[in-house]
Amino acid sequence: MASGDTLLIFTPLHNEPPASNAATIDLRNQHPVLDFDAATNESAVFGGVMPRNYAGTTGVTVYLHYAMSSAVADTVDWDVSFERVGDQQLDIDGDDFAAVNSVDNTTVPGTAGLVDIVNVTFTDGADMDSVAVGEGFRLKVTRDASSDDATGDAELWRVEVKET
Amino acid sequence: MARLFDDANPDWLNVDTAALNGFDITMSAWVYVDDLTINTTVLGVYDASEADNWFRLAIIGVDANQLRCQVLRETGSNVNADTSTGLSTNTWHHVFGTIDRSGGTISGTALLDGGSKGTDSQTATVSEAQWDRTRIGYTGDSSATQPMSGRIAECAIWQAQLSDAEAALLAKGSSPLFFQPEFLKFYAPLISDEDFDKVGGLSFVEGGSPAVAEHPPIIYPAPNFYIMAPPVSAVSDVPGWNFRKTRQNLLLRL
């Protein structure tokens, strides 16, 4: 796979809600979205398998497509992290996400409902919890509401994992 | 987003068609109750012209906040299956009840969050052919009462008796679509203000002004995954033709 090629795409219906502080499903003009609170850090989790065509050298970039429920000003912060499940690498009775990488202080679109796309890069290796080709993993997306200041829900519409 | 009902100015969702007209019956929903000092109604199917001859899931706030699976009979005794533990306020709970009929006996079970099972069996009769209303958040008989105070989401009714094990899985957040779909007669997720039965096609009309509020976390059947395959080179250099080499990315649908 070449740098710049899409590896995986997730939609809100792929969400595997965490046990607490989960982003919740909503419909916006019949578009399924995941609502992330403005007051509490909430998360969505997506499970996948790293495609065999991932080169494993340049890492990945995660693109978040989101719209604001009502805010037309101020900023939003997102955290993204990987959890390697792999081949006997993780006892799935517990969570073990790696440290987050963040995209912070993004000024939200001036029209609520316009979908903005932000991205977070991960170098290959420990930065993405050493997920290798053919290995199962989970991807967690969290709105860092405790740090951002845009009012109302942030609504996640799509997630793309691209080879950097 | 779930639906939020206010008991002070009763709100409900109504359709004058029964979700089903026969036995066995299973009801399932998620509730987030903000007032447990009163009795409230979650979901039921009714004979709209009668004070009895209907069934519902209800929260008995004036007692021990139990979940009740209830049948109001035409003759005989009412069936009241109450869970052994009660709900807490401002917390998502899964509510589940089954009703079956054998001869002249109607039996009910109620499970709260997949456990605390309560049962009741009574000699009773109902006229299921006369059920003609499905209502969420309020009783739908000839004199509506016991409105909900709180949120309701993921309402489902099967014409089958789901097991306690299935109730436990529903209570873990699995969508009703995963369970005996061939018998699922009614499914209204109540996401945002989409008041629609996705299985039976019933479309609800608002009573009062129910609002929208945060939905419970549910795992739904996932759509197909889309994955990009490695690029391949197009055929080129056919004699007599000038093809430009191009690379094509193939979209594979798993």
Side-chain angles (χ1 to χ4, degrees):
Chain A
M1 189 61 111
S3 172
D5 289 334
T6 298
L7 293 168
L8 290 165
I9 297 169
F10 299 110
T11 77
L13 297 181
H14 289 113
N15 181 35
E16 300 167 4
S20 62
N21 296 323
T24 54
I25 194 78
D26 194 3
L27 282 177
R28 187 165 189 170
N29 188 31
Q30 299 304 108
H31 293 263
V33 295
L34 289 169
D35 286 351
F36 291 74
D37 264 1
T40 304
N41 288 11
E42 293 181 335
S43 300
V45 176
F46 304 95
V49 176
M50 187 59 69
R52 297 281 173 178
N53 39 286
Y54 169 56
T57 54
T58 52
V60 300
T61 300
V62 177
Y63 289 83
L64 307 177
H65 303 227
Y66 76 95
M68 299 306 293
S69 179
S70 57
V72 295
D74 298 321
T75 63
V76 66
D77 295 349
W78 296 100
D79 295 336
V80 182
S81 59
F82 281 84
E83 176 192 69
R84 180 191 189 195
V85 176
D87 185 353
Q88 300 189 58
Q89 298 299 315
L90 176 69
D91 178 353
I92 61 172
D93 287 328
D95 296 345
D96 191 23
F97 285 91
V100 303
N101 287 7
S102 304
V103 51
D104 292 335
N105 301 315
T106 302
T107 299
V108 303
T111 300
L114 280 179
V115 176
D116 187 27
I117 306 175
V118 296
N119 69 85
V120 187
T121 57
F122 292 83
T123 56
D124 187 60
D127 199 30
M128 48 187 281
D129 207 24
S130 301
V131 176
V133 292
E135 290 193 329
F137 70 93
R138 294 194 299 173
L139 178 76
K140 181 187 285 189
V141 177
T142 302
R143 177 186 178 181
D144 189 1
S146 60
S147 298
D148 69 23
D149 58 2
T151 58
D153 288 343
E155 298 183 328
L156 187 66
W157 185 71
R158 295 287 186 271
V159 178
E160 178 200 5
V161 181
K162 184 197 81 173
E163 181 150 2
T164 304
Chain B
M1 293 294 194
R3 277 306 218 160
L4 174 62
F5 300 85
D6 180 6
D7 68 293
N9 298 290
D11 301 319
W12 65 94
L13 299 173
N14 185 82
V15 58
D16 284 337
T17 302
L20 78 177
N21 289 92
F23 291 86
D24 298 333
I25 298 164
T26 299
M27 295 175 281
S28 168
W30 285 84
V31 296
Y32 185 106
V33 182
D34 54 40
D35 185 353
L36 283 169
T37 64
I38 55 175
N39 293 348
T40 55
T41 300
V42 181
L43 163 69
V45 174
Y46 302 89
D47 179 345
S49 61
E50 298 289 340
D52 50 29
N53 191 32
W54 46 265
F55 65 88
R56 68 168 179 167
L57 289 176
I59 313 299
I60 309 304
V62 298
D63 188 358
N65 305 333
Q66 316 97 306
L67 168 70
R68 172 171 291 174
C69 178
Q70 183 176 53
V71 179
L72 264 288
R73 83 293 175 266
E74 287 188 312
T75 67
S77 301
N78 293 336
V79 176
N80 292 315
D82 294 345
T83 54
S84 57
T85 62
L87 287 75
S88 301
T89 54
N90 300 321
T91 302
W92 280 111
H93 290 281
H94 181 254
V95 294
F96 177 96
T98 68
I99 304 168
D100 68 275
R101 182 173 63 188
S102 178
T105 300
I106 296 179
S107 301
T109 67
L111 284 92
L112 179 63
D113 298 326
S116 304
K117 185 174 181 178
T119 62
D120 189 28
S121 292
Q122 302 290 341
T123 299
T125 65
V126 295
S127 297
E128 60 268 34
Q130 293 174 11
W131 295 337
D132 56 7
R133 172 174 286 169
T134 305
R135 184 171 283 186
I136 297 170
Y138 212 5
T139 63
D141 61 341
S142 57
S143 56
T145 186
Q146 299 188 354
M148 171 55 67
S149 181
R151 311 178 206 170
I152 301 174
E154 300 289 324
C155 298
I157 300 176
W158 292 259
Q159 192 163 347
Q161 190 168 16
L162 269 61
S163 66
D164 294 358
E166 288 171 311
L169 289 172
L170 282 161
K172 288 187 175 182
S174 297
S175 165
L177 293 170
F178 287 117
F179 302 92
Q180 300 196 40
E182 68 274 27
F183 296 114
L184 183 61
K185 297 296 184 183
F186 170 87
Y187 175 46
L190 302 183
I191 298 174
S192 189
D193 57 359
E194 189 201 45
D195 302 326
F196 188 69
D197 163 18
K198 290 184 174 291
V199 172
L202 301 180
S203 185
F204 284 91
V205 175
E206 292 182 359
S209 301
V212 296
E214 196 168 279
H215 206 78
I218 303 294
I219 297 175
Y220 297 99
N224 293 335
F225 276 91
Y226 290 86
I227 178 172
M228 302 302 289
V232 297
S233 296
V235 173
S236 65
D237 297 333
V238 174
W241 295 84
N242 290 318
F243 278 107
R244 182 177 177 183
K245 285 188 179 180
T246 58
R247 300 193 331 174
Q248 294 177 325
N249 286 327
L250 298 177
L251 182 65
L252 299 181
R253 187 171 179 186
L254 302 179

